[in-house]
Amino acid sequence: MAAPERNPWRRLLALPNESRTKTLLVAFLVATVCGVMVSGATVLLRPIQSANRAAEEQARIASLVQGIPGMAGLLDRSGGKLSTVVVDLPMGRAATEVTPAKLGTALAEAANWTVLSPAADIAGLGRRPDFAQVFLLRDGEKISLVLLPMTGQGYGGRIDAILALSGDLDTIAGIAITNHSETPGLGGRIEEPSWQAGFAGTRTRDAAGTLRFDVARGPAGGPYEVDGITGATRTGRGVAGMVRFWLGPDGYGPFLDAIRRGEF
C-alpha cells in the first residue's frame, strides 16, 4: 500500500480538475499572486509617477512664465530659473522643517491640515493644507513674479491652477489651469488659452486693499473682472471663489503680506 502524500501542494494538484476545492484554492492563489504583483508594481512605479507629475507641473509653469509679456527677458537675465520655497501658510513665512522634498510626507499627516469653517471656505475645499510650495522670480533683489498653486471646487469637481502675480502682488500676470473635471464645451473651456489669456492685467485689489477679483457672468465690466463663459456660471463662481480664497487671509494672504514687508 502506497504511503499517503504528505506534500499539500502535490495533494492539491492530484485532485481532479472538477474538484470544487481545487478550483477555489487555485483561484485564491492566482488572485493572491496577482494582488501582490499589482501592489508591488504600484509601489515601484509611484516614484516614477510622482516625478512625471512634477515634470508636467514644471513644464506648465515654464510655459506660463514664458507667455507673460516681458518675462522671457527677465528669465534670461536671472538665469532662467525660478526659486522655490515651501510656505507655512498660517504663519506667512518659509517653513523651517518642511522642504519641497518632504512636502508630500508632511501633507500625508492630518495634523498638517486645517478644517475650514463654512464662512471661510469660499473655494469649497473643506480643509486647507498648512504648507504649500510656491515659486518666485527675482530681478536682482526685487521679486518680479510670484507663482501660486491653488485648488478649488468647480461645477464638475476639483479645479487646479497656478496663478502668477506681478511684482506689485495685486496684478495677475497669467493663469494656467492644470486640472479640471468641468463639462466639455461649457465649463471645460477654462482650459482654453484664449480664456486664460484674459486674466493677464486683471487687478485683484482696489486702492484700499480690498480683494475685488471676480469672474463676470458675461463680458468683464471692470479692471477686477475676467470674462465669464456662457452657460458655465457655476464654473465661473468656482474659479472666482478659488482665486479669492487663496489670495485671502486663509490662503496666501499672510505670505503676500510678508513679501510686501520685504521679508522674502
Side-chain angles (χ1 to χ4, degrees):
M1 182 177 179
E5 179 60 61
R6 297 181 179 277
N7 188 310
W9 178 246
R10 290 181 178 176
R11 290 173 61 187
L12 173 64
L13 293 178
L15 291 173
N17 291 335
E18 296 79 9
S19 170
R20 180 176 297 179
T21 300
K22 183 176 183 179
T23 301
L24 292 175
L25 286 174
V26 170
F28 173 77
L29 290 172
V30 169
T32 300
V33 171
C34 290
V36 171
M37 292 176 65
V38 170
S39 298
T42 300
V43 172
L44 291 173
L45 292 175
R46 185 174 293 125
I48 299 175
Q49 293 170 339
S50 298
N52 287 341
R53 285 194 295 269
E56 289 173 0
E57 181 169 292
Q58 289 291 344
R60 292 190 186 101
I61 291 170
S63 177
L64 172 63
V65 174
Q66 290 287 352
I68 298 171
M71 284 298 112
L74 189 56
L75 279 171
D76 291 339
R77 292 197 300 273
S78 63
K81 294 182 180 179
L82 292 163
S83 62
T84 182
V85 62
V86 174
V87 177
D88 182 324
L89 293 175
M91 302 301 295
R93 64 190 183 194
T96 55
E97 298 182 359
V98 180
T99 63
K102 297 179 179 178
L103 180 60
T105 301
L107 295 185
E109 299 181 14
N112 290 328
W113 292 74
T114 296
V115 176
L116 300 168
S117 68
D121 191 17
I122 58 176
L125 300 174
R127 59 177 190 158
R128 182 221 62 204
D130 290 341
F131 303 99
Q133 183 178 6
V134 303
F135 305 87
L136 307 175
L137 183 65
R138 297 180 186 273
D139 186 4
E141 295 297 318
K142 181 181 178 182
I143 293 177
S144 58
L145 194 70
V146 181
L147 276 71
L148 306 173
M150 53 183 59
T151 187
Q153 187 71 20
Y155 172 71
R158 173 172 167 169
I159 297 174
D160 296 323
I162 300 171
L163 186 75
L165 291 180
S166 298
D168 65 3
L169 305 182
D170 293 327
T171 303
I172 296 176
I175 192 172
I177 303 296
T178 58
N179 179 64
H180 74 87
S181 302
E182 302 305 280
T183 307
L186 293 173
R189 292 178 56 199
I190 60 174
E191 68 182 6
E192 295 178 359
S194 58
W195 185 74
Q196 297 180 28
F199 279 72
T202 302
R203 301 282 295 173
T204 61
R205 298 178 184 273
D206 59 22
T210 303
L211 191 57
R212 297 276 302 276
F213 174 82
D214 202 2
V215 176
R217 291 193 174 185
Y224 309 106
E225 292 185 340
V226 297
D227 292 342
I229 297 173
T230 303
T233 302
R234 289 180 62 180
T235 299
R237 286 204 299 263
V239 172
M242 173 179 69
V243 173
R244 286 201 296 264
F245 172 82
W246 285 102
L247 295 183
D250 294 301
Y252 294 111
F255 164 64
L256 297 175
D257 288 341
I259 294 179
R260 292 185 180 99
R261 294 193 299 267
E263 296 176 9
F264 278 86

